[in-house]
């Protein structure tokens, strides 16, 4: 049954912000957008009832996971929805629904713990979700580290790797621009079947 | 108010009441999957005349309708209502059955990349807003 009045909704663009524990996901979602809390939920299994988060509320069978959620409105026509995905393995089920229809993902990487970003990268590669790797500058300029990061993460040559400071709005938004440019390039590449020439 | 509150656990203090109550309303019922109400699906309250059995609605249903007077995404509705996503989906499914809520067609078919002019507008917006 449809509403009689012609109503249009903006183009909703779903972007995921992933990365290892403490990589800066919450910081980035918060600096680039208006951040809102989003309670998702998890039905506890016996395996997770000993979780320290829940001491004192053992009687509760369902608990909530609060996900980072941010929104950027672009004029009347488009809205970006950013979702910071919880890093722990037991939340993979949340990723599966987030990945559906996502335009792409930002994988935040901390050079001190690069291996922490493997699971996210692996996940997006297998799901064919376009992604960029953003190296979060926790300790000064890391320009020289980009090739090393690319190498250590065995990234396809066309996956963009950029530096960012998740605390800086302009820097965070430029990462999103990189992602959208990457998606555009992939889309055009598919249309013309000319793949493999980055940049 | 606790002076040493932990941000990560704030929801336990602030929202445990409504959350627990919302679970009671939806308790034990099958959870509709993400398909019907994706996080970026827009919904809007139906005009009053279009609704069927509004008498069956619980306060939680009415709360969602209040937030959905204008089209709103499921993610934002969930955030504003303070319920958990799974609960909101159950409530929305009820509201859809009652004809009280309208699920709006997305501007871009799910899984499709938006038109390039929109992507270009987004890039401009990100750089200059
Ligand atoms: N120096 C520096 N610190 C940062 C940067 N980004 C985040 N931080 C700090 O690093 C810490 C972790 O950042 P979060 O944004 O909480 O990381 P997260 O990925 O959300 O962490 P989890 O949700 O716990 O996995 C915080 O104390 C931030 O202030 C950055 O670019 N530079
Ligand atoms: Mg976080």
């Amino acid at each position: 049954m449809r509403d009689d009045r012609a109503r249009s909704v903006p183009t909703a663009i779903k972007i995921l912000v992933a990365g290892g524990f403490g990589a800066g996901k919450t910081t980035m979602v918060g600096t680039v957008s208006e951040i809102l809390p989003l309670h998702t939920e998890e039905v506890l299994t016996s395996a997770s009832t000993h979780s320290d988060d829940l001491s004192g509320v053992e009687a509760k069978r369902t608990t909530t996971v609060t996900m980072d959620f941010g929104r950027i409105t672009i004029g009347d026509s488009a809205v970006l929805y950013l979702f910071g995905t919880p890093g722990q393995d037991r939340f993979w089920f949340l990723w599966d629904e987030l990945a559906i229809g996502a335009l792409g993902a930002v994988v935040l990487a901390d050079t001190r713990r690069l291996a922490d970003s493997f699971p996210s990268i692996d996940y997006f590669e297998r799901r064919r979700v376009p992604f960029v790797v953003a190296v979060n500058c926790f300790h000064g300029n890391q320009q020289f580290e980009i090739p090393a990061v690319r190498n250590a993460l065995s990234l396809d040559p066309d996956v963009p790797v950029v530096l960012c400071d998740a605390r800086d709005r302009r820097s965070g938004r430029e990462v999103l621009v990189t992602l959208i440019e990457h998606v555009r390039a992939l889309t055009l590449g598919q249309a013309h079947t000319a793949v493999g020439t980055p940049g | 108010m606790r002076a040493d509150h932990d941000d990560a656990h704030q929801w336990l203090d602030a929202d445990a009441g409504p959350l627990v109550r919302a679970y009671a309303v939806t308790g034990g019922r099958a959870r509709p999957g993400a398909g019907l109400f994706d996080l970026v699906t827009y919904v809007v309250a139906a005009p009053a005349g279009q609704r069927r059995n509004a008498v069956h609605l619980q306060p939680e249903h009415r709360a969602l309708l209040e937030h959905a007077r204008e089209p709103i995404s499921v993610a934002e509705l969930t955030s504003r209502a303070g319920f958990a996503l799974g609960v909101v989906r159950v409530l929305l499914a009820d509201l859809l059955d009652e004809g009280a809520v309208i699920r709006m067609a997305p501007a871009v078919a799910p899984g499709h990349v938006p038109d390039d002019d929109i992507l270009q507008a987004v890039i401009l917006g990100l750089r200059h807003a």
Side-chain angles (χ1 to χ4, degrees), chain A residues 1-5 7-14 32 36-43 52-54 57 60 62-67 69 71-74 77-81 83 94 97-98 100-103 169-170 173-174 176-178 180-181 183-184 187-188, chain B residues 8-9 11-12 15-16 19-20 23 31 34 37-40 42 44-47 50 52 69-76 78-80 82-87 89 102-108 110-114 116 118-123 125-129:
Chain A
M1 212 173 310
R2 294 256 159 248
D3 192 353
D4 303 325
R5 287 164 292 173
R7 295 223 226 195
S8 63
V9 298
T11 299
I13 297 177
K14 199 198 279 186
V32 299
L36 303 159
L38 182 64
H39 305 298
T40 64
E41 79 208 287
E42 181 192 27
V43 177
D52 46 319
D53 300 359
L54 299 167
V57 285
K60 227 171 122 198
T62 315
T63 189
T64 52
V65 179
T66 302
M67 213 159 59
F69 163 43
R71 198 185 60 164
I72 307 174
T73 303
I74 310 284
S77 59
V79 184
L80 295 188
Y81 289 92
F83 297 100
L94 286 175
E97 94 144 88
L98 285 170
I100 296 170
L103 183 79
R169 182 182 180 88
R170 193 122 57 93
R173 287 190 167 207
E174 203 53 42
L176 298 179
V177 168
T178 304
I180 294 168
E181 291 287 17
V183 171
R184 290 183 65 210
T187 309
L188 290 171
Chain B
H9 293 157
W11 62 268
L12 264 183
D15 301 324
L19 277 174
V20 169
Y23 281 119
R31 298 277 150 103
F37 297 110
D38 186 271
L39 282 163
V40 300
Y42 279 73
V44 68
Q50 230 171 276
R52 291 188 284 273
R69 289 183 175 185
E70 295 297 322
I72 186 171
S73 64
V74 169
E76 200 175 335
T78 301
S79 180
R80 293 217 185 152
F83 306 147
L85 178 61
V87 168
R89 286 189 170 133
I102 295 162
R103 209 176 136 254
M104 303 182 73
V108 177
H112 288 251
V113 174
D116 198 57
I118 295 207
L119 294 182
Q120 290 189 48
V122 169
I123 289 170
L126 284 171
R127 286 200 165 133
H128 302 292

Side-chain angles (χ1 to χ4, degrees), chain A residues 22-27 66 68 84-86:
Chain A
K25 303 178 289 290
T26 302
T27 305
T66 302
D68 304 319
T85 52

Side-chain angles (χ1 to χ4, degrees), chain A residues 20-27 68 136-138 164-167:
Chain A
F21 183 74
K25 303 178 289 290
T26 302
T27 305
D68 304 319
N136 202 357
C137 298
F138 282 96
C164 81
D165 183 335
R167 300 161 303 175

Side-chain angles (χ1 to χ4, degrees), chain A residues 94-171:
Chain A
L94 286 175
W95 288 49
D96 286 340
E97 94 144 88
L98 285 170
I100 296 170
L103 183 79
V106 173
V107 176
L108 280 166
D110 177 346
T111 48
R112 295 164 297 185
R113 290 172 296 179
L114 270 185
D116 288 4
S117 46
F118 284 150
S120 310
I121 288 169
D122 193 50
Y123 184 91
F124 296 129
E125 279 177 348
R126 274 189 287 134
R127 296 274 165 156
R128 297 176 185 280
V129 174
F131 67 95
V132 300
V133 173
V135 178
N136 202 357
C137 298
F138 282 96
H139 42 107
N141 191 324
Q142 294 169 312
Q143 191 73 55
F144 64 96
E145 292 190 57
I146 284 191
V149 168
R150 178 181 288 289
N151 200 37
L153 297 176
S154 343
L155 295 171
D156 280 350
D158 67 332
V159 173
V161 180
V162 293
L163 296 171
C164 81
D165 183 335
R167 300 161 303 175
D168 181 80
R169 182 182 180 88
R170 193 122 57 93
S171 174

Side-chain angles (χ1 to χ4, degrees), chain B residues 8-68:
Chain B
H9 293 157
Q10 246 182 342
W11 62 268
L12 264 183
D13 296 330
D15 301 324
L19 277 174
V20 169
R21 171 138 165 78
Y23 281 119
V25 172
T26 62
R29 283 196 277 155
R31 298 277 150 103
L36 199 51
F37 297 110
D38 186 271
L39 282 163
V40 300
T41 296
Y42 279 73
V43 296
V44 68
Q50 230 171 276
R51 299 180 194 172
R52 291 188 284 273
N53 307 310
V55 71
H56 297 307
L57 299 183
Q58 306 265 11
E60 286 73 12
H61 294 106
R62 295 182 201 284
L64 291 191
L65 290 177
E66 279 299 307
H67 289 296

